[in-house]
Amino acid sequence: MATAVAPQQGGLFARPTAKTGWWSWMTTVDHKKIGILYGVTAFFFFIVGGVEALLIRAQLATPNGEVLSPAVYNQLFTMHGLTMIFFVVIPMGTALMNFLLPLMIGARDVAFPRLNAFSYWVFLSAGLFMYSAFLLGGAPDGGWFGYAPLSLDPVTDGMTYYSLGLQIAGIASLAGAINFIVTIINMRAPGMTLMRMPVFVWMTLITSFLLLFAVPVIGVALWELMFDRLFGANFFDPAAGADPLLWQHLFWLFGHPEVYIMILPAMGIVSEVLPAFSRKPLFGYPAIVFSGAAIAFMGWGVWAHHMFAAGLGPVANSAFALSTMFIAVPTGVKIFNWIGTIWGGSVRLTTPFLFSAGFVSMFIIGGLSGVTHSIVPHDAQQTDTYYVVGHLHYVLFGGSIFGLFSGIYYWWPKVFGRLLSEKIGKFHFLLMLVGFNLTFMPFHILGLLGMPRRQYYFPANRGFEVWNLLASIGAFTIAVSILVFLYNVAVSRKKGEAAGADPWDARTLEWMTTSPPPEHNFDAIPVVRHRDDFWYRKYITTPEGESARVFAGGAASDEEQHSSEAASDEPPSSSAEGASDREPNTAGAAPPESSSEERPHAGASAEEQGHGIHLPSPSYFPLLTAAGMPVIGYGFIYSPILLAAGAVMLLVGAFGWVLEPPAEEA
Amino acid sequence: MSAAHPPAEHPHTSTGLDNAKLAMWAFLGSECLFFGSFISTYLLYRNVTGDGPTSADLYDIPYTSISSFVLLMSSLTMVLALSSVQNGDRRAMRIWLMATAFLGLTFIGGQVFEFTTFVEEGLTLSTSAFGSSFFVLTGFHGAHVTIGILMLLGLTVMSSFGRLGPDDSRPVEVVGLYWHFVDIVWIVIFTVIYLIPSG
């Protein structure tokens, strides 16, 4: 344990100082660097999960395929699902949240910078831990849903890795969720009321609450699985009187909110991109926000539609069928809002816009095929066929991944300071759209023809050949489109056009600062007066209702515009904006809303300008603490010595964390 | 909600709530689902005893009542520790913190004794679904108490580094929130598991 003799400064608990190089990345607590780490890692896992998918499609390209053995096939489809869900879609969303959240609400960093670094390192170690199973006797092979009692099968340690690896990943999600919740609730710039926040921030908040409540449920299921597998407990063994439905209930009680955890961030991205390229405010902002919250709330009441084939009885089946149909309503509200946003706008067909449009259209298909599952007899026909696989890829790939790529293209210039090529980007989009539909549309037909999922081969002469071959061609088309994206990145790194602060003429605060943003984000914390505040700093509304550009440096006219607007279309206290409006605001001695109206628009208080900004110092301890987790995981499987070593790392890390000299910490 | 005069030296937040306290409240919300899921599992399995002993054979309610009382008294000492640090009496704070940790440790000792007795009477983790759900639920509660004790020791170490005082009482308050939560969960577990008869 940490010997308690360290002096206040320096010595045992000295904080690292490197600003560049390896150590700066290992010890960083800057939300922007952590965001980039998340993004790069998630993209790496995206490639790995994609290669797994290609192997699966190679195996299934022809009848009686012989590329993979059954055992390897099981591991690959399981790891493909786990990777894409837990190590790609969720962390890619987290990457964007990390980078953008403080910028969008006008904060210097997240509420707990070291906890943020901890989340990243725990996430990374969970991924490495899971994948190390390939080298140590076999990866998880019981599907991403890991149905017990099937997953109790002790042939390999694979499902033990599953139970421990997901547990570790859950800790990362939980820490991240708490951090984002506190940041959004507590760290907003003056005037940034809840109903002025960008929709992406709203969706981050909602997603974080979903994670907060969903992760412990699967955590319990995973602990129970681990106790069954390692210590002979009887949670799931029917021979000992256990109920085989327990796992399904716990898993899907987590699993269905999880679906919304993956889609809501993408919905947030689309709600930022479409207004920016339609040059219109988001249509029906409150409706989008509240339908997001409604989806999250109702998402807790639909889990048993994953279990219609499990025999819950007609009453439960009918109830969950109804709730499943109802949850399509708020989703539909959002679709109409997005269409309303584009309607009548001056649309620019840029790559981010195209990906967002791809999201909306593909998600409609996936959403509709989802509603078909709510019809119980229909679901009984579809269960465990490729129809379900088709549906879930339309929402997760056609939905989440298209949305995430939209976000990547949209914010790339903000993150790296250079634009991606529009020409290559559009080619990427086109190839991906074609490849995607070529792959997953046939899945619906295969499913209706009765091809079961999770089978390592399909027999000849059942009418499956053509559709499977098309799907495999589509999968490799998607792979080519990803290579095109990588080429785009390489070109941009080498000779990409410099982006400037605001390349898209966008609406939200992150475009106010330089690209890439300085370590302290904003020289002066902005004072927010509007939803889409940055837009209203650039444009005034003429009496005819047209937008007109404010001249650069036109602070005076800007001021005029603000006061006139305040007089005309909203009461000065703007109480209609939301409940928290009157509460005291953030950032030091920030004045309340009313007096901020009288200040120059940047809201610069003298001590905040330039050098007086305190940023949290880097730290070793998040990394050390996080590294203890997989060691404990190996300890559970292999030896109590490792268990003890991991526990010591955790304790030393935690004590060091608490005792290191305080830099500015939340 | 806990009392609301935010310490003067902390940066103002949008809501006026302290960041660390808000984070702890969020975490405790998550913990409700955690214990809720384990308690549900227990309720599902409390009569699934197979050939093993049943809860009526095992539970010694007077004994567990006493150890529950000990744990609940530790909430009192925790409150006294916070009150001491807010009044600037760091020595009293350390005494109350150690008293809290000691009471927690007594509870853990009682649990170890109870587990040992149950094992001797024939109920192990593997005996039945009832055994699994009992040991894992109460064991995880014990683990939470243990982590709480470690945090109390951490506070004591912090105080010996010169931290914690009337202007810097937040860590004590946050650990206190956690400690009280663990106690409240025990009230639920004690009621649901020990006091409601099975059958």
Side-chain angles (χ1 to χ4, degrees), chain A residues 6 8 112 174 178 182 185-188 212-213 216 220 223-224 231-235 241-243 246 584 586 588 658 666, chain B residues 12-15 17 19 22-23 26-27 29-30 33-34 37-38 41 45 48 125-126 129 132-133 136 140 158 161 170:
Chain A
Q8 273 293 322
F112 306 103
L174 197 57
I178 291 173
V182 175
I185 292 181
N186 256 359
M187 309 276 286
R188 283 166 284 134
L212 186 73
F213 294 126
V220 167
W223 280 120
E224 292 176 351
F231 305 121
N234 285 316
F235 286 106
D243 188 340
L246 174 65
T586 187
V658 174
Chain B
H12 295 283
T13 59
S14 308
T15 56
L17 294 170
N19 279 346
L22 192 59
F27 174 68
S30 177
L33 274 283
F34 183 81
S37 303
F38 271 129
T41 306
Y45 288 152
V48 186
L125 190 68
S126 324
S132 305
S133 57
V136 173
F140 265 104
M158 273 172 87
F161 271 56
R170 188 192 58 180

Side-chain angles (χ1 to χ4, degrees), chain A residues 316-356:
Chain A
N317 282 355
S318 312
F320 281 98
L322 281 176
S323 63
T324 304
M325 292 176 199
F326 277 134
I327 204 168
V329 174
T331 317
V333 168
K334 281 181 180 251
I335 305 264
F336 284 112
N337 277 304
W338 291 321
I339 295 172
T341 304
I342 306 170
W343 188 268
S346 38
V347 173
R348 284 174 289 163
L349 292 178
T350 56
T351 312
F353 180 91
L354 289 175
F355 272 103
S356 278

Side-chain angles (χ1 to χ4, degrees), chain A residues 188-205:
Chain A
R188 283 166 284 134
M192 177 62 83
T193 60
L194 289 177
M195 290 308 274
R196 286 178 188 168
M197 296 194 308
V199 173
F200 182 66
V201 176
W202 260 111
M203 293 306 130
T204 304
L205 182 65

Side-chain angles (χ1 to χ4, degrees), chain A residues 342-506:
Chain A
I342 306 170
W343 188 268
S346 38
V347 173
R348 284 174 289 163
L349 292 178
T350 56
T351 312
F353 180 91
L354 289 175
F355 272 103
S356 278
F359 166 93
V360 175
S361 43
M362 294 303 106
F363 185 75
I364 289 176
I365 299 175
L368 287 177
S369 66
V371 177
T372 66
H373 297 314
S374 71
I375 303 157
V376 179
H378 202 267
D379 184 82
Q381 176 68 25
Q382 297 154 3
T383 295
D384 286 339
T385 69
Y386 264 76
Y387 188 91
V388 179
V389 187
H391 156 72
L392 75 91
H393 281 93
Y394 265 85
V395 285
L396 285 185
F397 195 126
S400 301
I401 297 284
F402 272 74
L404 287 167
F405 266 114
S406 177
I408 290 170
Y409 274 95
Y410 182 57
W411 282 299
W412 186 275
K414 178 51 65 186
V415 177
F416 296 105
R418 285 170 186 272
L419 290 163
L420 287 167
S421 155
E422 276 291 308
K423 211 187 268 173
I424 307 174
K426 282 174 185 163
F427 182 56
H428 168 205
F429 168 73
L430 206 67
L431 211 55
M432 197 153 113
L433 188 73
V434 171
F436 165 75
N437 282 296
L438 199 57
T439 311
F440 297 111
M441 194 55 91
F443 280 20
H444 295 98
I445 300 162
L446 282 170
L448 294 176
L449 289 175
M451 177 164 158
R453 62 192 287 203
R454 304 169 198 135
Q455 294 279 340
Y456 75 99
Y457 79 102
F458 64 91
N461 302 322
R462 300 282 173 88
F464 298 159
E465 285 92 338
V466 177
W467 305 112
N468 271 306
L469 186 62
L470 280 179
S472 294
I473 294 171
F476 282 89
T477 314
I478 296 173
V480 173
S481 81
I482 299 302
L483 292 179
V484 172
F485 171 72
L486 286 173
Y487 175 68
N488 200 351
V489 169
V491 170
S492 162
R493 300 293 284 172
K494 227 175 174 175
K495 50 183 187 185
E497 195 185 326
D502 180 23
W504 309 119
D505 198 11

